[in-house]
Amino acid sequence: MTSAPKGIASTLALTIGLGLGLGLGSAAAAQDSILRMATSFAIESMDPVSEGFWLQEFGSGELMMRYEPDGSIVPWLAESLETVDDTTWVLTIRDGVTFQNGKPMDVAAVLAAFDYHRQNNAGTAAALGEALTFEETGPREITIRTGTPLPELPSILAHESRLMVIDVETVLAAGDDYESLEGAGIHTGPYKVMDLDSQRMISEAYAGYWQGTPAMDGLELYFVSDENARTLAVQNGEVDIALYPPVAAKPVFDATPGVNLVLGPLSSGGFLGYMNVSDGPLTEVPVRQAVMKAINYEEIAETIFHGTKAAPTGLYNPDLAFAVENYEYDTEEAAALLDAAGWVLEGSQRMRDGEALAITMLIYPQQPDLIPMTGAMQVYFNELGIASDIVSVDDLTEATMSGTVEWDLALASNGTSSVGAVAGILQRYLITSGSDNYGGYSNAEIDALVDEIYVTVDPEARNALIARVQEILVEEDPYMFTVTQHRERALVSDAWITYEPAVAWNHVKFDTAPAE
């Protein structure tokens, strides 16, 4: 089933898993044109629903549409996606694309893949809704009727866990024997998975790939949960690229020969702050506004995080078409807001009616970068006369929503959009009944805006609605805000210094190659 050197692979996985580095770099280098990569998570099987979506990230699986760094969603396996009206779309698939087993990716195959995911993936079924239909209306044409407006259909077609194109006939023949799908060529991408176990995945180049000859002969992907072990693997020459390196270690990387931290485009998320608007000092709008203006976003990004993150200009990545740039670091204005609200300085502390202005920030250990970030925020608040403390909890959602912990400002790493989609995130975090509405936020206008965003297809009208939400969250009724904007990142060897970390998790493309 595979020509992969399992003995070497297993030894390497054990070596970097233990963080020992036994000098396998020279053996790895002897095999030309193989990309060796380490990631933090394991792909446990070829099951297209529960695990197979990861394969979009590593050059095997592909989707109809692709999310780009500028926030646009462009055709991938599709040749085009056009709107006819608010509930009708026409998808034209590319001509000449084949699965890695040689079967044609025709309309029938695409419809079968869509139906398979809809029947077997609850997330796909929920995203599409019951009324949506797919119909073959031409040799390469599928007409999609959504029943009710579905403006985020392009994002669904670009989301790795929704509608990846697979050879359903082969998948169904395998039944529950997902191991038999290794080497079966059920995807359309440049690299075919040949072998997969708990330690690594081995893929080889697909010579019939529709975009041309893949740049590498193959891919060896190792599953290494420990970030220090991944770093050591790059340093020792055992892998070319390690994903998800710790940003706090940038000074160490900069001083280490053969190890390079490369930064990519801005991501669709960052470290976000959520305010408790149900109890405590942040029930007051002027105090919330002052908190946002007190933070030196640029200093946190450039000094605390050594430029590995970006200073936010608003809630969203500024490259997105609907982003509003309305954040401002202004300590004088922050002080004026507090003065007007009756929180006046008495010595170095803001007081009102004998009560000190103080806030508690919640963080969680799974994100160690929150420690230096909130430490900096504590300094900014103290300079304004706001006392603060930092409390770490194991489960942020449980702590904020159970009422068992007193808190005022919770900090978390979250996305503000997902491959261009924002409606679901706004619904979860902002509307009155949102499942992740940590702080008891309730704004009737935002509730109505989110409902409208869900069904507004016209891009300009939709962007105006999303912009209005951003205005409210800064100028009228603050609640959720971005503290840092994440950048995509990877740790690479000198030979791979030109590697660009991916957006939308697409780490390996057909032309991914080392520096010339």
Side-chain angles (χ1 to χ4, degrees):
M1 185 177 298
T2 177
S3 58
K6 279 196 171 184
I8 292 176
S10 299
T11 303
L12 174 57
L14 177 61
T15 298
I16 57 182
L18 293 174
L20 297 177
L22 298 181
L24 294 176
S26 59
Q31 302 178 46
D32 292 336
S33 196
I34 300 294
L35 168 58
R36 293 169 180 83
M37 180 176 284
T39 189
S40 60
F41 55 89
I43 301 172
E44 297 182 353
S45 82
M46 293 281 288
D47 179 348
V49 173
S50 67
E51 296 287 327
F53 61 88
W54 298 117
L55 300 179
Q56 181 270 152
E57 304 190 11
F58 301 105
S60 295
E62 294 181 312
L63 302 144
M64 280 292 123
M65 306 293 286
R66 183 177 64 236
Y67 182 79
E68 293 287 278
D70 64 0
S72 62
I73 299 175
V74 301
W76 191 357
L77 288 176
E79 184 177 284
S80 64
L81 177 67
E82 299 177 350
T83 54
V84 177
D85 54 47
D86 281 359
T87 60
T88 308
W89 304 67
V90 174
L91 177 72
T92 302
I93 67 172
R94 291 190 184 275
D95 192 18
V97 178
T98 63
F99 293 101
Q100 297 155 346
N101 54 25
K103 295 180 182 179
M105 187 205 76
D106 53 20
V107 168
V110 172
L111 289 176
F114 287 177
D115 185 64
Y116 178 90
H117 290 297
R118 194 173 194 174
Q119 295 298 321
N120 294 280
N121 187 327
T124 300
L128 296 178
E130 295 182 359
L132 184 144
T133 61
F134 297 105
E135 179 186 0
E136 180 176 2
T137 51
R140 292 187 292 119
E141 182 180 282
I142 298 171
T143 296
I144 306 170
R145 295 181 176 87
T146 59
T148 57
L150 185 61
E152 292 182 344
L153 178 63
S155 296
I156 296 171
L157 292 168
H159 197 294
E160 65 179 11
S161 64
R162 296 291 179 256
L163 292 167
M164 185 182 294
V165 178
I166 55 174
D167 172 17
V168 172
E169 182 181 32
T170 301
V171 171
L172 293 178
D176 293 334
D177 182 14
Y178 297 119
E179 187 176 358
S180 69
L181 296 177
E182 298 167 22
I186 64 170
H187 299 101
T188 62
Y191 295 99
K192 178 168 67 171
V193 176
M194 300 302 296
D195 197 35
L196 173 66
D197 61 31
S198 61
Q199 296 177 328
R200 87 297 179 255
M201 181 177 78
I202 305 297
S203 301
E204 65 178 29
Y206 171 44
Y209 182 58
W210 62 274
Q211 288 194 80
T213 303
M216 307 296 290
D217 291 335
L219 166 71
E220 296 178 4
L221 177 69
Y222 297 95
F223 309 137
V224 186
S225 60
D226 184 84
E227 61 187 21
N228 294 319
R230 294 196 302 277
T231 299
L232 187 61
V234 176
Q235 184 179 354
N236 290 345
E238 295 163 329
V239 299
D240 305 300
I241 300 170
L243 301 177
Y244 312 117
V247 297
K250 183 177 186 297
V252 176
F253 300 148
D254 290 344
T256 304
V259 174
N260 308 274
L261 181 66
V262 291
L263 301 176
L266 294 180
S267 79
S268 56
F271 283 133
L272 306 188
Y274 304 88
M275 303 184 186
N276 186 348
V277 298
S278 299
D279 185 48
L282 298 186
T283 57
E284 302 177 42
V285 168
V287 179
R288 285 182 254 155
Q289 292 173 324
V291 162
M292 291 182 65
K293 290 181 182 294
I295 298 170
N296 189 334
Y297 304 100
E298 189 73 30
E299 185 173 70
I300 288 177
E302 296 300 323
T303 302
I304 302 302
F305 290 121
H306 313 288
T308 60
K309 299 184 185 296
T313 55
L315 181 64
Y316 295 106
N317 177 338
D319 294 332
L320 303 182
F322 47 74
V324 173
E325 299 185 14
N326 58 355
Y327 283 13
E328 182 180 46
Y329 167 56
D330 189 337
T331 55
E332 290 186 4
E333 176 62 18
L337 285 164
L338 295 177
D339 287 338
W343 291 103
V344 297
L345 277 174
E346 295 184 12
S348 60
Q349 175 68 58
R350 292 273 171 182
M351 304 289 293
R352 186 176 70 188
D353 300 329
E355 178 185 0
L357 180 55
I359 63 175
T360 296
M361 292 184 280
L362 288 191
I363 61 175
Y364 53 108
Q366 295 88 344
Q367 288 289 341
D369 287 338
L370 289 172
I371 296 173
M373 188 185 81
T374 51
M377 293 169 64
Q378 197 170 40
V379 172
Y380 302 144
F381 297 154
N382 184 63
E383 291 175 347
L384 196 59
I386 302 174
S388 62
D389 61 350
I390 303 167
V391 175
S392 182
V393 295
D394 290 334
D395 188 325
L396 191 72
T397 302
E398 170 67 19
T400 53
M401 302 186 74
S402 66
T404 57
V405 178
E406 291 187 5
W407 67 283
D408 300 294
L409 179 60
L411 286 305
S413 178
N414 278 329
T416 50
S417 65
S418 178
V419 288
V422 300
I425 292 168
L426 294 177
Q427 183 186 57
R428 293 200 309 275
Y429 289 104
L430 287 186
I431 70 168
T432 303
S433 58
S435 60
D436 297 311
N437 186 339
Y438 299 129
Y441 187 71
S442 182
N443 183 292
E445 185 179 357
I446 281 186
D447 287 353
L449 285 166
V450 173
D451 285 344
E452 200 169 351
I453 289 167
Y454 259 104
V455 297
T456 300
V457 175
D458 177 73
E460 289 188 11
R462 193 165 188 274
N463 289 348
L465 296 170
I466 301 171
R468 176 60 185 147
V469 169
Q470 295 168 75
E471 292 171 0
I472 294 171
L473 287 174
V474 172
E475 299 165 14
E476 300 170 26
D477 194 10
Y479 166 59
M480 179 174 76
F481 67 101
T482 302
V483 182
T484 66
Q485 186 76 54
H486 292 338
R487 288 188 184 280
E488 307 297 352
R489 66 192 189 278
L491 202 64
V492 304
S493 66
D494 290 342
W496 285 82
I497 193 66
T498 57
Y499 176 77
E500 182 172 292
V503 297
W505 321 291
N506 189 209
H507 304 298
V508 179
K509 306 174 182 65
F510 91 102
D511 57 355
T512 297
E516 295 182 359

